Amino acid sequence: MSRHHYSGDALIEVLHTAQELYGFLSPGLLKSIARKLRLPPSRVLGVATFYHFFSLKPKGEHTFVVCLGTACYVAGAPNVLTALEHRSTKAGTTTADGKVSVDGARCIGSCGLAPAVIYNGRILARVTPESISKELDRIGVE
Amino acid sequence: MTVEELFDQQAAEVERQNALENRIYCCTAAGCVSCGSEAVRKAIGEEIKSQGLTGKVEVCGTGCMGLCSKGPLVRTSKDDALYGGVDVSNAAALVSAPETLAPLRIDTSAPFFIKQKKIVLGNSGRVDPEKIMDYIAAGGYQALARACTELGPAGTLDEVKKSGLRGRGGAGYPTGLKWELVARQPGDVKYVVCNADEGDPGAFMDRSVLEGDPHRVLEGMAIAAYAVGAQQGYIYVRGEYALAIQRLQLAIRQAERERLLGNRILDSAFQFRVDLRIGAGAFVCGEETALLASIEGRRGQPRPRPPYPPEAGLWGKPTLINNVETFANIPPLIQNGGEWFASTGTATSKGTKVFALAGKIANTGLIEVPMGTPLREILFDIGGGVPGGLEFKAAQTGGPSGGCIPAEFLDTPVDYESLARIGSIMGSGGLIVMDSSSCMVDVARFFMEFCMDESCGKCIPCRAGTVQMHDILLRMTKGEASSRDMAILEELCTLLRETSLCGLGQTAPNPVVSTLRYFRPEYEMHIRDHRCPAGLCEMKGNEGGAR
Amino acid sequence: MSVVTLEIDGKVCTGVSGETVFDVAWNNGVKIPRLCHIGGLPNIGACRLCLVEVEGQKKLLPACITPVQEGMVVRTWSEKLIAHRRLIVELLFAERNHVCSVCVVNRNCELQDLAVELGLDHIRLRYQFPKLVADTSHERFGLDHNRCVLCTRCVRVCDEVEGAHTWDVSRRGALSQIIADLGEPWGESDTCTSCGKCVQVCPTGALFEKGKAVSEMRKDRGFLKYIVTAREKGQWIR
Ligand SMILES: Cc1cc2nc3c(=O)[nH]c(=O)nc-3n(C[C@H](O)[C@H](O)[C@H](O)COP(=O)(O)O)c2cc1C
Ligand code: SF4
Ligand code: SF4
Ligand code: FES
Ligand code: FES
C-alpha cells in the first residue's frame, strides 16, 4: 500500500486479495478494509458491488460459470445455461444446500472452444446441455 | 544488461538452440490446453529423459499457434513441421522421429497459413513465453536498444508517426499523434497504460498476445515510455485472464532482473517500472477514463472528455493509453522502421490486424492479415467457411459496439474506413460468423442485453435507454411488439448515439442499427407475422424454436 | 480572468474565461435544463439534459462542463435538442415509480418542472416498475428509492461540502442504488451528521423531511451557494 499515492488507490487490489483469502467479502471484512484504508464505508461497498468479480456471499462447493459471450451465444450457450439452471439454481445464485453456484460470464477468452464453461476454475470446452447434465449427475445433484 | 550483452546473449542462445537435435514446441494456450496439451508436453518431457536425450532434445510450451480447432498442436524443429491432434501416445515419435507422424502433419502451405502475415503474432507459437532468453534469441529488446541508443525519444516518435500505425483498441486513433500529445506535455510525472481489458465478448487476441509473447508488450510499453518521457507504467488486465496475469508477472520479474525494465535500463539513465492492475469484471473499464478510475481504485465510471488522458489522466497527470496489440506492433516497427511498417496495408490503415475467428466457422482461432484483406478471403480461404452445410448469414465485427455484415458485403476490404462505411467497425478484432440458424433480432437483443448489464449507470440515456431497448427487442423475439415499438426503438437508437456520455452508450445502438439496415424484413416478420425465419425465437401462438 | 464574448441562441452574451456555457447562459437569462448540475457542487455531466449545439462541433456538448470560448456560437433549444430532452425525461419516469400525487414535493419537484417545461404529457415507454423500498429509519429524514433519479447530488454534497461521505452508489447500470455506509439503514449510519444538506439538494422527493404532507415540502436550493461562496470568497451573501 505504501507505494501508492493515496491509500484509496489500493482498494480494488485489497478487495481482490481479501476475496482470495476468504472466498467472499463479508460486511465485517468490508468494514475493516474501510478502516484500514481510511475510506468511507459507502465507497468501499460502492466499489465492491460495481465489479462483478467481487462476491458478497459465499460461493457453493462447485461453481459453474457459463460463458455468455458472443461466440458462446452463437454456439448455443443459452441452452447450456437453461439446462444448468433447471437442475440447480438461477445464474448469480447458490443452491440452498451450498452445493452449486451458477454464474454467467461475458467471454472468458476461449471463444474457439465455444460454448465454454468454467467448472471449478477449469475450462470445459464445447459443452452441451447433456454433458453439463452428466457432470451434475457425477457430483450428485438430483 | 548492456546493449552489447543483449546481442551477445542473443547469439549464444541462438547457437545453443541450433545445436539441439530437436526442439519441440507444445502449444499451451487455452485452446490446446483444453484438449490435453499439458499432458502431451509432460509425456514428451518424460520421453526425452527415458530416451536419454536430455540436453539434446528440449520441449517448451508456447502461446497460441493459431489453428485452435486442430489442437493440441506441436511444432518440431527437427523437420520444421507442425502436427495437429496429437496425444500422449505420439510423444516418443515426436521426440526422435517426428517424420513418422505424417498423418498428423498439418500442411502449412494451405491458405490458412500462406494468406496470413504475422507481425504481432510473429513469435506466438515460436517462443516460450516463460523464458526471457527465448524472446531475446528471437531478437527481443533490440528495438528498445535501437530506440535508446540510435533514435532518441524524438526519433522514436518520428518512426511511429511515419508508420501510420493506428490504435488497435477500437477507435483507430493515430498512435504517433497520441504519443506526441503526451510527449509535449510539460512535467516529469507521466504514465503509460496498457489497456488489456479486452471486454468484447468473442475476442481473445489480446489474451493470446499476453499469454504467448508477454515480453513484446513490455518492450512496446518501454519504448513508448522512453519516447514520451514516462517512468511508470500500468497494465490493466481482465481478472478472467489468470494465465496472462501469471505470465506477465513472471515476464516483468525477468525483465527487471535483466535490467530491461526498472532502473538504468540497458545501462542508460532511462528508468521505467511496470505494475499490473487486475480488472474485476466490468466491460466499461475498457473505456479509457473508466479504466483510469479503476486503476485509482474507484468505481469504473467514465468521465466526460475533454480533458483527454494525454493532458489529464492518472492522478491528473499526462497519460498514454494504448491497446495490447498497439504496443505489440511497436518492437518490430522500431526495429525495422516506420517505412517498413507502412509498406503493409492500405492508404489509411497500415500494418496488419489480428482477428479472433469464432462462431460458425471451420477454423476457429487466431489469425493475422494485412489491413485491406477482403472479408471473404479471411472467412473462406483462411477461415475455411461455414461448416455443417448451413449458409453464411452475417459476420459480426466490433462486438457490442459493432455491426453485422451481410453476405453482399463479403468483398469489403477490412480497414477502418471501409468497415465504418458499411455500418460496422474494426473494433478490437472479434470476428464472429453466423449462419442461417442465427436470428438477427435475437442477435440485436443479445448485444443490447450485454450493454444493459454492462452500463455503468452514470448517464441516463444509456442506463435507462438500454433497458427500454432491450425490453422492446425482447418483446419482438416473443412476438409481442408492435410497429409503434419499432418507431420508439429507432428514436432510442438516435438518442443513445447522440447523447450518451461515453462510447459504450454511444455505440450500444450499432448492432440494432446495422441489423435493421440489412435485415429489416426479419424484424418485420417478427412484428407482423409473429414468425422467426431462423426458427430460433419462440413466438406466441407459434410452436417450434430452439428456446 | 479575461472577458469572453459569445452568442447563445442568437443573443450576444459575455462571461469570464473559465466559466461554463451553462453559467453564462443562465446569467444571461437563457435557462438551459439540467438535473445533475447544481450550483456549488462539482459538475459530472451525467444527466445529459443540458446538451447544447455548438457551431463547428459534430457532437452535442454538455453545457455544465463546457468552458466558454471567445466567439462560440451556441444553440440551447432546437427541435432535436427538445426531442432528446423529452425522451430522457420519459426514460426517467419509466425507470422508477414516480407517483407524484402522493409525494411531499409534488409541484415543487425538478423532475416535474422538466416535464412541464418540455410539454411532456404522457410516457410512451413501458414502465419498469422495479421493486424498491423507502428507508425511513432516520429520525428526521427519509429516502424513497422509487423517486431517485441517481443524479448523485446527495453523494457529492455529503462528500464535498459536509465532508462525511455517508452516501455512495452501489451496483451499476439500472441496478444502481444510493447507499448509506455499508448499505445499512440510514438511521443506523455512524457517519451521517444529520445535517440535511442532501435532502435540500435532492431534485425530487427521493430525499425528504419526515412529517410533511403531500406537496408540503419546499427545498432550500440557495443554501449551497451561500456556504460555498462563504468558504471560497469569504463573503456571506444570501
Ligand atoms: C465501452 C468501451 C470499451 C472499450 N474496451 C476496450 C478494450 O477492451 N480494450 C481496448 O484496448 N480498448 C477498449 N476501448 C477503447 C479505449 O477506450 C481506448 O480507445 C483504447 O484503449 C486506446 O488504445 P489504442 O489507441 O491503442 O486503440 C473501449 C472503449 C469503449 C468506449
Ligand atoms: S454511456 Fe453508459 S457506460 Fe457510458 S457513462 Fe453513460 S451510463 Fe456509463
Ligand atoms: S436521492 Fe435525490 S439527490 Fe440523491 S441521487 Fe437520488 S435523486 Fe439525486
Ligand atoms: S464468447 Fe465465450 S469464451 Fe468468448
Ligand atoms: S446538467 Fe449537465 S449533464 Fe446534467
Side-chain angles (χ1 to χ4, degrees):
Chain A
M1 272 176 217
S2 55
R3 243 190 46 219
H4 305 289
H5 307 234
Y6 314 93
S7 59
D9 298 353
L11 177 54
I12 294 177
E13 282 158 89
V14 172
L15 290 174
H16 269 302
T17 314
Q19 175 152 309
E20 230 163 78
L21 287 174
Y22 301 98
F24 74 107
L25 303 169
S26 65
L29 197 50
L30 291 175
K31 193 167 238 164
S32 73
I33 289 173
R35 207 168 297 134
K36 291 235 173 69
L37 295 179
R38 302 186 184 165
L39 290 174
S42 59
R43 183 175 150 194
V44 174
L45 184 64
V47 169
T49 53
F50 183 88
Y51 297 98
H52 281 180
F53 231 69
F54 300 129
S55 166
L56 304 194
K57 293 203 193 98
K59 286 266 181 247
E61 194 186 325
H62 299 278
T63 57
F64 290 89
V65 183
V66 181
C67 176
L68 298 170
T70 319
C72 293
Y73 156 82
V74 171
N79 299 332
V80 174
L81 181 62
T82 313
L84 188 56
E85 283 183 332
H86 187 70
R87 290 204 41 197
S88 55
T89 178
K90 281 253 165 258
T93 63
T94 302
T95 48
D97 61 0
K99 189 144 198 174
V100 176
S101 291
V102 178
D103 238 319
R106 294 301 186 177
C107 190
I108 54 176
S110 307
C111 317
L113 316 174
V117 172
I118 310 180
Y119 170 50
N120 294 338
R122 241 184 52 238
I123 294 175
L124 305 181
R126 298 181 193 94
V127 181
T128 59
E130 294 73 42
S131 70
I132 206 86
S133 228
K134 236 180 250 158
E135 199 51 51
L136 289 172
D137 291 341
R138 216 181 51 80
I139 58 174
V141 173
E142 340 241 291
Chain B
M1 60 176 79
T2 63
V3 174
E4 288 75 44
E5 279 163 358
L6 178 69
F7 282 91
D8 290 348
Q9 300 235 9
Q10 183 210 7
E13 176 66 16
V14 170
E15 199 175 313
R16 189 193 71 79
Q17 288 183 14
N18 287 344
L20 292 172
E21 275 170 29
N22 193 4
R23 197 164 197 248
I24 306 167
Y25 301 85
C26 219
C27 177
T28 47
C32 286
V33 166
S34 79
C35 37
S37 72
E38 283 292 0
V40 172
R41 177 186 174 177
K42 218 169 123 228
I44 295 175
E46 279 157 14
E47 204 49 55
I48 294 175
K49 261 193 230 128
S50 66
Q51 295 187 19
L53 292 171
T54 312
K56 291 188 188 140
V57 178
E58 193 174 273
V59 61
C60 61
T62 72
C64 184
M65 293 185 176
L67 199 54
C68 304
S69 48
K70 299 259 162 63
L73 297 167
V74 174
R75 180 191 305 281
T76 47
S77 73
K78 190 173 183 205
D79 54 347
D80 192 23
L82 182 66
Y83 298 91
V86 297
D87 61 38
V88 283
S89 67
N90 304 126
L94 284 167
V95 170
S96 44
E99 32 330 309
T100 59
L101 292 173
L104 298 179
R105 200 168 173 153
I106 291 172
D107 177 13
T108 48
S109 64
F112 180 84
F113 296 96
I114 55 167
K115 295 240 173 173
Q116 294 199 48
K117 175 166 180 153
K118 301 217 168 175
I119 295 178
V120 171
L121 300 178
N123 283 341
S124 202
R126 297 183 172 273
V127 303
D128 185 337
E130 293 182 356
K131 296 202 184 104
I132 191 170
M133 274 311 149
D134 258 35
Y135 182 66
I136 288 176
Y141 289 106
Q142 289 181 11
L144 179 62
R146 176 162 195 242
C148 294
T149 53
E150 196 182 314
L151 298 171
T156 306
L157 191 62
D158 268 347
E159 292 299 329
V160 178
K161 274 166 70 184
K162 259 193 284 184
S163 74
L165 172 64
R166 293 168 67 175
R168 302 294 195 241
Y173 190 83
T175 306
L177 287 185
K178 203 188 260 186
W179 287 27
E180 193 170 37
L181 282 175
V182 182
R184 265 212 233 117
Q185 293 292 321
D188 353 300
V189 181
K190 296 180 187 175
Y191 298 99
V192 168
V193 174
C194 174
N195 187 342
D197 198 40
E198 192 161 62
D200 171 0
F204 51 95
M205 306 77 48
D206 294 351
R207 170 189 184 150
S208 291
V209 173
L210 295 173
E211 287 179 2
D213 203 6
H215 283 288
R216 172 190 290 260
V217 179
L218 296 178
E219 187 182 359
M221 286 178 74
I223 294 170
Y226 178 72
V228 304
Q231 272 129 42
Q232 174 69 47
Y234 292 97
I235 307 181
Y236 188 89
V237 201
R238 284 187 79 187
E240 287 87 339
Y241 289 1
L243 184 59
I245 293 168
Q246 195 187 314
R247 295 229 165 117
L248 276 170
Q249 277 164 341
L250 182 65
I252 292 172
R253 269 204 309 276
Q254 291 172 340
E256 279 176 353
R257 199 172 334 114
E258 301 292 345
R259 288 273 172 82
L260 295 164
L261 280 183
N263 294 328
R264 301 193 52 79
I265 291 173
L266 288 168
D267 217 22
S268 72
F270 171 48
Q271 50 170 326
F272 182 56
R273 288 191 52 95
V274 177
D275 283 302
L276 292 188
R277 284 293 176 275
I278 314 300
F283 170 68
V284 69
C285 287
E287 198 279 342
E288 52 188 25
T289 59
L291 185 147
L292 297 178
S294 189
I295 293 182
E296 293 173 7
R298 291 184 281 120
R299 290 166 59 84
Q301 292 189 311
R303 61 159 174 79
R305 301 171 303 171
Y308 289 88
E311 288 160 52
L314 272 180
W315 299 289
K317 303 293 182 195
T319 302
L320 172 74
I321 305 180
N322 276 131
N323 164 264
V324 171
E325 195 182 328
T326 314
F327 281 125
N329 268 301
I330 297 296
L333 185 163
I334 293 298
Q335 182 75 302
N336 305 309
E339 272 153 32
W340 166 82
F341 188 87
S343 65
T344 306
T346 68
T348 54
S349 307
K350 302 294 186 195
T352 59
K353 180 77 195 84
V354 180
F355 285 100
L357 297 185
K360 300 295 172 66
I361 187 154
N363 303 328
T364 54
L366 214 57
I367 62 142
E368 181 172 355
V369 291
M371 290 276 189
T373 306
L375 205 49
R376 188 186 300 279
E377 217 170 293
I378 297 177
L379 297 180
F380 291 87
D381 299 350
I382 299 175
V386 180
L390 287 181
E391 210 176 308
F392 171 88
K393 184 163 185 182
Q396 212 279 342
T397 68
S401 317
C404 290
I405 303 168
E408 62 197 279
F409 291 108
L410 274 175
D411 292 311
T412 308
V414 168
D415 61 63
Y416 292 97
E417 281 75 21
S418 305
L419 285 176
R421 215 171 297 125
I422 57 173
S424 191
I425 60 166
M426 173 80 78
S428 52
L431 186 43
I432 292 170
V433 177
M434 304 184 192
D435 63 18
S436 48
S437 69
S438 284
C439 163
M440 289 298 141
V441 182
D442 197 58
V443 166
R445 184 208 56 78
F446 166 79
F447 282 115
M448 195 50 68
E449 182 182 21
F450 178 89
C451 291
M452 174 176 82
D453 287 348
E454 297 298 334
S455 164
C456 81
K458 183 170 182 172
C459 72
I460 304 167
C462 168
R463 181 185 76 226
T466 51
V467 171
Q468 290 292 341
M469 292 172 81
H470 181 258
D471 185 85
I472 294 174
L473 290 161
L474 182 67
R475 281 186 286 122
M476 283 182 176
T477 61
K478 290 183 178 163
E480 295 167 5
S482 65
S483 53
R484 218 189 60 152
D485 288 318
M486 181 79 144
I488 295 178
L489 182 66
E490 289 185 82
E491 259 181 65
L492 285 164
C493 284
T494 317
L495 180 81
L496 266 72
R497 194 175 59 230
E498 293 183 359
T499 69
S500 296
L501 192 161
C502 87
L504 191 155
Q506 288 160 13
T507 58
N510 286 0
V512 180
V513 172
S514 86
T515 46
L516 269 173
R517 180 159 157 192
Y518 299 120
F519 302 94
R520 190 176 279 267
E522 221 169 287
Y523 278 83
E524 281 162 1
M525 266 185 249
H526 279 78
I527 295 171
R528 222 182 29 230
D529 316 329
H530 304 256
R531 203 169 69 75
C532 174
L536 185 78
C537 304
E538 254 174 73
M539 299 279 184
K540 263 204 308 210
N542 212 347
E543 68 277 21
R547 311 191 247 129
Chain C
M1 271 206 310
S2 56
V3 172
V4 177
T5 312
L6 66 157
E7 195 186 304
I8 301 178
D9 291 343
K11 189 167 149 188
V12 177
C13 302
T14 55
V16 190
S17 68
E19 271 187 301
T20 62
V21 171
F22 186 92
D23 285 339
V24 172
W26 274 62
N27 292 341
N28 284 279
V30 179
K31 309 272 189 232
I32 302 175
R34 83 275 183 243
L35 198 54
C36 63
H37 165 87
I38 180 168
L41 286 184
N43 287 306
I44 52 170
C47 74
R48 317 307 284 171
L49 282 163
C50 71
L51 288 179
V52 294
E53 292 170 13
V54 176
E55 216 164 80
Q57 296 279 337
K58 269 195 296 196
K59 288 193 168 174
L60 304 175
L61 300 181
C64 68
I65 48 166
T66 303
V68 285
Q69 268 165 9
E70 184 62 38
M72 221 176 192
V73 180
V74 180
R75 266 174 69 130
T76 72
W77 292 93
S78 70
E79 253 176 57
K80 179 162 94 176
L81 290 173
I82 293 173
H84 283 342
R85 287 176 189 150
R86 279 187 163 182
L87 195 46
I88 290 175
V89 175
E90 269 190 79
L91 282 170
L92 283 178
F93 274 106
E95 182 178 37
R96 294 200 170 178
N97 312 306
H98 295 272
V99 191
C100 303
S101 55
V102 296
C103 181
V104 288
V105 298
N106 190 13
R107 288 198 287 278
N108 188 20
C109 164
E110 291 186 38
L111 184 60
Q112 268 182 342
D113 293 347
L114 280 167
V116 171
E117 196 179 358
L118 294 164
L120 195 70
D121 45 18
H122 77 289
I123 309 297
R124 299 164 301 160
L125 306 168
R126 279 239 301 201
Y127 286 95
Q128 297 299 310
F129 301 121
K131 288 197 185 63
L132 295 167
V133 291
D135 177 351
T136 52
S137 58
H138 192 280
E139 112 191 79
R140 286 164 50 209
F141 313 118
L143 164 59
D144 186 351
H145 292 289
N146 291 292
R147 304 196 158 101
C148 173
V149 293
L150 295 168
C151 66
T152 69
R153 285 185 189 180
C154 54
V155 177
R156 284 174 284 153
V157 81
C158 184
D159 179 45
E160 307 256 347
V161 183
E162 177 61 9
H165 202 122
T166 297
W167 300 118
D168 210 309
V169 183
S170 76
R171 310 191 70 180
R172 68 185 189 211
L175 301 174
S176 302
Q177 201 161 314
I178 298 294
I179 44 161
D181 294 354
L182 284 177
E184 292 121 345
W186 189 2
E188 286 165 29
S189 161
D190 50 17
T191 61
C192 172
T193 61
S194 301
C195 73
K197 290 187 181 69
C198 55
V199 179
Q200 299 307 327
V201 297
C202 178
T204 70
L207 284 165
F208 58 91
E209 282 167 10
K210 283 175 145 180
K212 293 266 159 68
V214 171
S215 308
E216 229 182 47
M217 193 189 160
R218 299 267 177 288
K219 294 202 170 180
D220 177 1
R221 298 267 147 70
F223 88 95
L224 189 55
K225 208 144 205 179
Y226 171 74
I227 299 181
V228 175
T229 321
R231 185 175 291 171
E232 282 172 3
K233 300 193 180 143
Q235 295 173 347
W236 283 260
I237 335 168
R238 268 222 85 155

